[in-house]
Amino acid sequence: SKIYCRPTLNDLERLRTLINMLASDLAMSVAHSGHLYAMALASSSLSPAAHLSEQFSGLSQVCILQ
């Protein structure tokens, strides 16, 4: 539980590795859940809430991390 209470972010190589792992996991999820990403992207223009949801957890987020 120490990692959650007092994270140490001074190990840049470890932080880089974690971010790359997250980006890889997100990229691989596109193949598995592509239709969900497509629906979220298509509906993002319908409301501000849908736009924010797509920005933070949709295909836009996957593209940013790549």
Side-chain angles (χ1 to χ4, degrees):
S1 72
K2 179 181 176 186
I3 194 168
Y4 297 116
C5 298
R6 286 179 260 142
T8 55
L9 301 177
N10 56 359
D11 185 352
L12 294 180
E13 190 59 36
R14 174 72 175 144
L15 187 57
R16 182 177 290 117
T17 300
L18 291 173
I19 291 171
N20 286 335
M21 286 173 54
L22 174 64
S24 177
D25 288 347
L26 283 172
M28 290 186 354
S29 75
V30 172
H32 180 63
S33 302
H35 63 287
L36 294 175
Y37 284 116
M39 289 189 315
L41 185 60
S43 68
S44 67
S45 64
L46 300 177
S47 74
H51 177 74
L52 285 176
S53 177
E54 201 286 320
Q55 290 294 306
F56 290 120
S57 62
L59 194 56
S60 296
Q61 185 68 27
V62 174
C63 292
I64 288 172
L65 290 175
Q66 292 298 313

Coordinates of all heavy atoms in Angstrom, one line a residue:
S1 N 0.8 -1.2 0.0 CA 0.0 0.0 0.0 C 0.9 1.3 0.0 O 0.4 2.3 -0.2 CB -0.9 0.0 1.2 OG -0.2 0.2 2.4
K2 N 2.1 1.1 0.2 CA 3.0 2.3 0.2 C 3.0 3.0 -1.1 O 3.1 4.2 -1.2 CB 4.5 1.8 0.5 CG 5.4 3.0 0.6 CD 6.8 2.4 0.9 CE 7.8 3.6 0.8 NZ 9.2 3.2 0.9
I3 N 2.9 2.2 -2.2 CA 3.0 2.9 -3.5 C 1.8 3.8 -3.8 O 1.9 4.8 -4.5 CB 3.1 1.8 -4.6 CG1 3.4 2.4 -6.0 CG2 1.7 1.1 -4.8 CD1 3.8 1.4 -7.0
Y4 N 0.7 3.5 -3.1 CA -0.5 4.4 -3.3 C -0.5 5.6 -2.4 O -1.0 6.6 -2.7 CB -1.8 3.6 -3.1 CG -2.0 2.5 -4.0 CD1 -2.0 1.1 -3.6 CD2 -2.1 2.7 -5.4 CE1 -2.2 0.1 -4.5 CE2 -2.3 1.7 -6.3 CZ -2.3 0.4 -5.9 OH -2.5 -0.6 -6.8
C5 N 0.1 5.5 -1.2 CA 0.2 6.5 -0.3 C 1.3 7.5 -0.5 O 1.1 8.7 -0.4 CB 0.3 6.0 1.2 SG -1.0 5.0 1.7
R6 N 2.4 7.0 -0.9 CA 3.6 7.9 -1.1 C 4.3 7.5 -2.4 O 5.4 6.9 -2.3 CB 4.5 7.9 0.1 CG 3.9 8.7 1.3 CD 4.9 8.6 2.4 NE 4.3 7.6 3.3 CZ 5.0 6.7 4.0 NH1 6.3 6.7 4.0 NH2 4.4 5.8 4.8
P7 N 3.8 7.7 -3.6 CA 4.5 7.3 -4.8 C 5.8 8.1 -5.0 O 5.8 9.3 -4.6 CB 3.5 7.6 -5.9 CG 2.7 8.7 -5.4 CD 2.6 8.5 -3.9
T8 N 6.8 7.5 -5.5 CA 8.0 8.1 -5.8 C 8.1 8.1 -7.3 O 8.2 7.1 -7.9 CB 9.2 7.4 -5.2 OG1 9.2 6.1 -5.6 CG2 9.2 7.5 -3.7
L9 N 8.1 9.3 -7.9 CA 8.1 9.4 -9.3 C 9.5 9.9 -9.8 O 9.6 10.5 -10.9 CB 7.0 10.4 -9.8 CG 5.6 9.9 -9.4 CD1 4.6 11.0 -9.8 CD2 5.2 8.6 -9.9
N10 N 10.5 9.7 -9.1 CA 11.8 10.2 -9.5 C 12.6 9.2 -10.4 O 13.6 9.5 -10.9 CB 12.7 10.6 -8.3 CG 12.8 9.5 -7.3 OD1 12.2 8.4 -7.5 ND2 13.5 9.7 -6.2
D11 N 12.0 8.0 -10.5 CA 12.6 7.0 -11.4 C 12.0 7.1 -12.8 O 11.0 6.5 -13.1 CB 12.4 5.6 -10.8 CG 13.1 4.5 -11.6 OD1 13.6 4.8 -12.7 OD2 13.1 3.3 -11.2
L12 N 12.6 8.0 -13.6 CA 12.0 8.3 -14.9 C 11.9 7.1 -15.8 O 11.0 7.0 -16.6 CB 12.8 9.4 -15.6 CG 12.7 10.8 -14.9 CD1 13.5 11.8 -15.6 CD2 11.3 11.2 -14.7
E13 N 12.9 6.2 -15.7 CA 12.8 5.0 -16.6 C 11.6 4.1 -16.2 O 11.0 3.6 -17.1 CB 14.1 4.2 -16.5 CG 14.3 3.1 -17.5 CD 14.2 3.6 -19.0 OE1 14.7 4.7 -19.3 OE2 13.6 2.9 -19.8
R14 N 11.4 3.9 -15.0 CA 10.2 3.1 -14.5 C 8.9 3.8 -14.9 O 8.0 3.1 -15.4 CB 10.3 3.0 -13.0 CG 9.1 2.3 -12.4 CD 9.1 0.8 -12.7 NE 8.0 0.2 -12.0 CZ 7.3 -0.8 -12.5 NH1 7.6 -1.3 -13.6 NH2 6.2 -1.3 -11.8
L15 N 8.8 5.1 -14.8 CA 7.6 5.9 -15.2 C 7.4 5.7 -16.7 O 6.3 5.5 -17.1 CB 7.8 7.3 -14.8 CG 6.6 8.2 -15.0 CD1 5.4 7.6 -14.2 CD2 6.9 9.6 -14.5
R16 N 8.5 5.8 -17.5 CA 8.4 5.7 -18.9 C 7.9 4.3 -19.3 O 7.1 4.1 -20.1 CB 9.8 5.9 -19.6 CG 9.8 5.8 -21.1 CD 11.1 6.1 -21.7 NE 11.4 7.6 -21.5 CZ 12.4 8.0 -20.8 NH1 13.3 7.2 -20.2 NH2 12.6 9.3 -20.7
T17 N 8.4 3.3 -18.6 CA 8.0 1.9 -18.8 C 6.5 1.7 -18.5 O 5.8 1.1 -19.3 CB 8.8 0.9 -18.0 OG1 10.2 1.0 -18.3 CG2 8.4 -0.5 -18.2
L18 N 6.1 2.3 -17.4 CA 4.6 2.1 -17.1 C 3.8 2.8 -18.1 O 2.7 2.3 -18.5 CB 4.4 2.7 -15.7 CG 5.0 1.9 -14.5 CD1 4.9 2.7 -13.2 CD2 4.4 0.6 -14.4
I19 N 4.2 4.0 -18.5 CA 3.4 4.7 -19.5 C 3.3 3.9 -20.9 O 2.3 3.8 -21.5 CB 3.9 6.1 -19.7 CG1 3.6 7.0 -18.5 CG2 3.3 6.8 -21.0 CD1 4.3 8.3 -18.4
N20 N 4.5 3.4 -21.3 CA 4.5 2.6 -22.5 C 3.6 1.3 -22.4 O 3.0 0.9 -23.3 CB 5.9 2.2 -22.8 CG 6.7 3.4 -23.4 OD1 6.1 4.3 -23.9 ND2 8.0 3.3 -23.3
M21 N 3.6 0.7 -21.2 CA 2.8 -0.5 -21.0 C 1.3 -0.1 -21.1 O 0.5 -0.8 -21.7 CB 3.1 -1.1 -19.6 CG 4.4 -1.8 -19.6 SD 4.8 -2.4 -17.9 CE 3.4 -3.3 -17.4
L22 N 0.9 1.1 -20.5 CA -0.5 1.5 -20.6 C -0.8 1.8 -22.1 O -1.9 1.4 -22.5 CB -0.6 2.8 -19.8 CG -2.0 3.5 -19.9 CD1 -3.1 2.6 -19.4 CD2 -2.0 4.8 -19.1
A23 N 0.1 2.5 -22.8 CA -0.2 2.8 -24.2 C -0.4 1.5 -25.0 O -1.3 1.4 -25.9 CB 0.9 3.6 -24.8
S24 N 0.5 0.5 -24.8 CA 0.4 -0.8 -25.5 C -0.9 -1.5 -25.2 O -1.6 -2.0 -26.1 CB 1.6 -1.6 -25.1 OG 1.5 -2.9 -25.7
D25 N -1.3 -1.5 -23.9 CA -2.6 -2.1 -23.5 C -3.8 -1.4 -24.2 O -4.7 -2.1 -24.7 CB -2.8 -2.1 -22.0 CG -1.9 -3.1 -21.3 OD1 -1.3 -3.9 -21.9 OD2 -1.8 -2.9 -20.0
L26 N -3.8 -0.1 -24.2 CA -4.8 0.6 -24.9 C -4.9 0.4 -26.4 O -5.9 0.2 -27.0 CB -4.7 2.1 -24.6 CG -5.1 2.6 -23.3 CD1 -4.7 4.1 -23.1 CD2 -6.6 2.4 -23.1
A27 N -3.7 0.3 -27.0 CA -3.7 0.1 -28.5 C -4.2 -1.3 -28.8 O -4.9 -1.5 -29.8 CB -2.2 0.2 -29.0
M28 N -3.9 -2.3 -27.9 CA -4.4 -3.7 -28.2 C -5.9 -3.8 -27.9 O -6.5 -4.6 -28.5 CB -3.6 -4.7 -27.3 CG -2.2 -4.8 -27.8 SD -1.0 -6.0 -27.1 CE -1.8 -6.8 -25.8
S29 N -6.4 -2.9 -27.1 CA -7.8 -3.0 -26.8 C -8.7 -2.5 -28.0 O -9.9 -2.8 -28.0 CB -8.2 -2.2 -25.5 OG -8.1 -0.8 -25.8
V30 N -8.1 -1.7 -28.9 CA -8.8 -1.2 -30.0 C -9.3 -2.4 -30.9 O -10.4 -2.4 -31.4 CB -7.9 -0.2 -30.8 CG1 -8.6 0.1 -32.2 CG2 -7.7 1.0 -30.0
A31 N -8.4 -3.4 -31.1 CA -8.8 -4.5 -31.9 C -9.9 -5.3 -31.2 O -10.8 -5.8 -31.9 CB -7.6 -5.4 -32.1
H32 N -9.9 -5.4 -29.9 CA -10.9 -6.1 -29.2 C -12.2 -5.4 -29.1 O -13.3 -6.0 -29.2 CB -10.4 -6.5 -27.8 CG -11.4 -7.3 -27.0 ND1 -11.8 -8.5 -27.4 CD2 -12.0 -7.0 -25.8 CE1 -12.7 -9.0 -26.5 NE2 -12.8 -8.1 -25.5
S33 N -12.2 -4.1 -28.9 CA -13.4 -3.3 -28.6 C -13.5 -2.1 -29.6 O -14.0 -1.0 -29.3 CB -13.3 -2.7 -27.2 OG -13.2 -3.7 -26.3
G34 N -13.1 -2.3 -30.9 CA -13.2 -1.3 -31.9 C -14.5 -0.7 -32.1 O -14.7 0.5 -32.3
H35 N -15.6 -1.5 -32.1 CA -16.9 -1.0 -32.3 C -17.3 -0.1 -31.1 O -18.0 0.9 -31.4 CB -17.9 -2.2 -32.4 CG -18.0 -3.0 -31.2 ND1 -17.1 -3.9 -30.8 CD2 -19.0 -3.1 -30.3 CE1 -17.4 -4.5 -29.7 NE2 -18.6 -4.1 -29.4
L36 N -16.9 -0.3 -29.9 CA -17.2 0.6 -28.8 C -16.5 1.9 -29.0 O -17.1 3.0 -28.7 CB -16.8 -0.1 -27.5 CG -17.6 -1.3 -27.1 CD1 -17.1 -1.9 -25.8 CD2 -19.1 -0.9 -26.9
Y37 N -15.2 1.9 -29.4 CA -14.5 3.1 -29.6 C -15.2 3.9 -30.8 O -15.3 5.1 -30.7 CB -13.0 2.8 -30.0 CG -12.2 2.5 -28.8 CD1 -11.6 1.2 -28.7 CD2 -11.9 3.4 -27.8 CE1 -10.8 0.9 -27.7 CE2 -11.1 3.0 -26.7 CZ -10.6 1.8 -26.7 OH -9.8 1.5 -25.6
A38 N -15.6 3.2 -31.8 CA -16.3 3.9 -33.0 C -17.6 4.5 -32.5 O -17.8 5.7 -32.9 CB -16.5 2.9 -34.1
M39 N -18.4 3.9 -31.7 CA -19.6 4.4 -31.3 C -19.4 5.6 -30.4 O -20.1 6.6 -30.5 CB -20.4 3.4 -30.5 CG -21.0 2.3 -31.4 SD -22.2 1.2 -30.6 CE -21.5 0.8 -29.1
A40 N -18.4 5.6 -29.5 CA -18.1 6.7 -28.6 C -17.6 7.9 -29.4 O -18.0 9.0 -29.2 CB -17.0 6.3 -27.6
L41 N -16.8 7.6 -30.4 CA -16.3 8.7 -31.3 C -17.4 9.3 -32.1 O -17.6 10.6 -32.2 CB -15.2 8.2 -32.2 CG -14.5 9.3 -33.1 CD1 -13.8 10.3 -32.2 CD2 -13.5 8.6 -34.0
A42 N -18.3 8.5 -32.6 CA -19.5 9.0 -33.4 C -20.4 9.8 -32.5 O -21.0 10.8 -32.9 CB -20.2 7.9 -34.0
S43 N -20.6 9.4 -31.3 CA -21.6 10.1 -30.4 C -20.9 11.3 -29.7 O -21.7 12.1 -29.0 CB -22.2 9.1 -29.4 OG -21.2 8.7 -28.5
S44 N -19.6 11.5 -29.8 CA -19.0 12.6 -29.1 C -19.4 14.0 -29.5 O -19.3 14.9 -28.8 CB -17.5 12.4 -29.2 OG -17.1 12.7 -30.5
S45 N -20.0 14.1 -30.7 CA -20.5 15.4 -31.2 C -21.9 15.7 -30.7 O -22.4 16.8 -31.0 CB -20.4 15.5 -32.7 OG -21.2 14.5 -33.3
L46 N -22.5 14.7 -30.1 CA -23.9 14.9 -29.7 C -24.2 15.7 -28.4 O -25.2 16.3 -28.2 CB -24.7 13.6 -29.6 CG -24.7 12.8 -30.9 CD1 -25.3 11.4 -30.7 CD2 -25.4 13.5 -32.0
S47 N -23.2 15.6 -27.5 CA -23.3 16.3 -26.2 C -22.0 16.6 -25.6 O -21.0 15.8 -25.9 CB -24.2 15.5 -25.2 OG -23.4 14.4 -24.7
P48 N -21.9 17.6 -24.8 CA -20.6 17.9 -24.1 C -20.1 16.7 -23.2 O -18.9 16.4 -23.2 CB -20.9 19.1 -23.2 CG -22.1 19.8 -23.9 CD -22.9 18.6 -24.5
A49 N -21.0 16.0 -22.6 CA -20.7 14.9 -21.7 C -20.1 13.7 -22.6 O -19.1 13.1 -22.2 CB -21.9 14.4 -20.9
A50 N -20.7 13.5 -23.7 CA -20.2 12.4 -24.6 C -18.8 12.8 -25.2 O -17.9 12.0 -25.3 CB -21.2 12.1 -25.7
H51 N -18.6 14.1 -25.4 CA -17.3 14.6 -26.0 C -16.2 14.3 -24.9 O -15.2 13.9 -25.2 CB -17.5 16.0 -26.3 CG -16.2 16.6 -26.8 ND1 -15.6 16.3 -28.0 CD2 -15.3 17.5 -26.2 CE1 -14.5 17.0 -28.2 NE2 -14.3 17.7 -27.1
L52 N -16.5 14.7 -23.7 CA -15.5 14.6 -22.6 C -15.2 13.1 -22.4 O -14.1 12.7 -22.2 CB -16.0 15.2 -21.3 CG -15.9 16.7 -21.3 CD1 -16.5 17.3 -20.0 CD2 -14.5 17.2 -21.4
S53 N -16.3 12.3 -22.4 CA -16.1 10.8 -22.2 C -15.2 10.3 -23.2 O -14.2 9.5 -23.0 CB -17.4 10.1 -22.2 OG -17.2 8.8 -22.0
E54 N -15.4 10.7 -24.5 CA -14.6 10.2 -25.6 C -13.1 10.7 -25.4 O -12.2 9.9 -25.7 CB -15.1 10.6 -26.9 CG -14.7 9.8 -28.1 CD -13.3 10.0 -28.5 OE1 -12.8 11.2 -28.5 OE2 -12.6 9.1 -28.9
Q55 N -12.9 11.9 -25.0 CA -11.6 12.5 -24.9 C -10.8 11.8 -23.8 O -9.6 11.6 -24.0 CB -11.7 14.0 -24.5 CG -12.2 14.9 -25.6 CD -11.2 14.9 -26.8 OE1 -10.1 15.2 -26.6 NE2 -11.7 14.6 -28.0
F56 N -11.5 11.4 -22.7 CA -10.7 10.8 -21.6 C -10.6 9.3 -21.6 O -9.8 8.7 -21.0 CB -11.4 11.2 -20.3 CG -11.1 12.6 -19.9 CD1 -12.2 13.5 -19.8 CD2 -9.8 13.2 -19.8 CE1 -12.0 14.8 -19.5 CE2 -9.6 14.5 -19.5 CZ -10.7 15.3 -19.4
S57 N -11.5 8.6 -22.4 CA -11.5 7.1 -22.4 C -11.8 6.5 -23.7 O -12.0 5.3 -23.8 CB -12.5 6.6 -21.3 OG -13.8 7.0 -21.7
G58 N -11.8 7.3 -24.8 CA -12.1 6.8 -26.1 C -10.8 6.7 -27.0 O -9.7 6.7 -26.5
L59 N -11.1 6.7 -28.3 CA -10.0 6.5 -29.2 C -9.1 7.7 -29.2 O -7.9 7.6 -29.5 CB -10.6 6.4 -30.6 CG -9.7 5.9 -31.7 CD1 -9.1 4.6 -31.4 CD2 -10.5 5.8 -33.0
S60 N -9.6 8.9 -28.9 CA -8.7 10.1 -28.7 C -7.6 9.8 -27.7 O -6.4 10.2 -27.9 CB -9.5 11.3 -28.4 OG -10.4 11.6 -29.4
Q61 N -7.9 9.2 -26.6 CA -7.0 8.9 -25.6 C -5.9 7.9 -26.1 O -4.8 8.0 -25.8 CB -7.7 8.4 -24.3 CG -6.7 8.2 -23.1 CD -6.2 9.5 -22.6 OE1 -6.8 10.5 -22.7 NE2 -5.0 9.4 -22.0
V62 N -6.4 6.9 -26.8 CA -5.5 5.9 -27.4 C -4.5 6.6 -28.3 O -3.3 6.3 -28.2 CB -6.2 4.8 -28.1 CG1 -5.3 3.8 -28.8 CG2 -7.1 4.1 -27.1
C63 N -5.0 7.5 -29.1 CA -4.1 8.2 -30.1 C -3.1 9.1 -29.4 O -1.9 9.2 -29.8 CB -4.9 9.0 -31.1 SG -5.9 8.0 -32.2
I64 N -3.5 9.7 -28.3 CA -2.6 10.6 -27.5 C -1.4 9.8 -27.0 O -0.3 10.2 -27.0 CB -3.3 11.3 -26.4 CG1 -4.2 12.4 -27.0 CG2 -2.3 12.0 -25.4 CD1 -5.1 13.1 -26.0
L65 N -1.7 8.6 -26.4 CA -0.7 7.9 -25.8 C 0.3 7.2 -26.7 O 1.3 6.7 -26.3 CB -1.3 6.8 -24.8 CG -2.0 7.4 -23.6 CD1 -2.7 6.3 -22.8 CD2 -0.9 8.1 -22.7
Q66 N -0.1 7.1 -28.0 CA 0.8 6.4 -29.0 C 1.8 7.4 -29.4 O 2.6 7.7 -29.8 CB 0.0 5.9 -30.1 CG -0.9 4.8 -29.8 CD -0.1 3.6 -29.3 OE1 0.9 3.2 -29.9 NE2 -0.5 3.0 -28.2

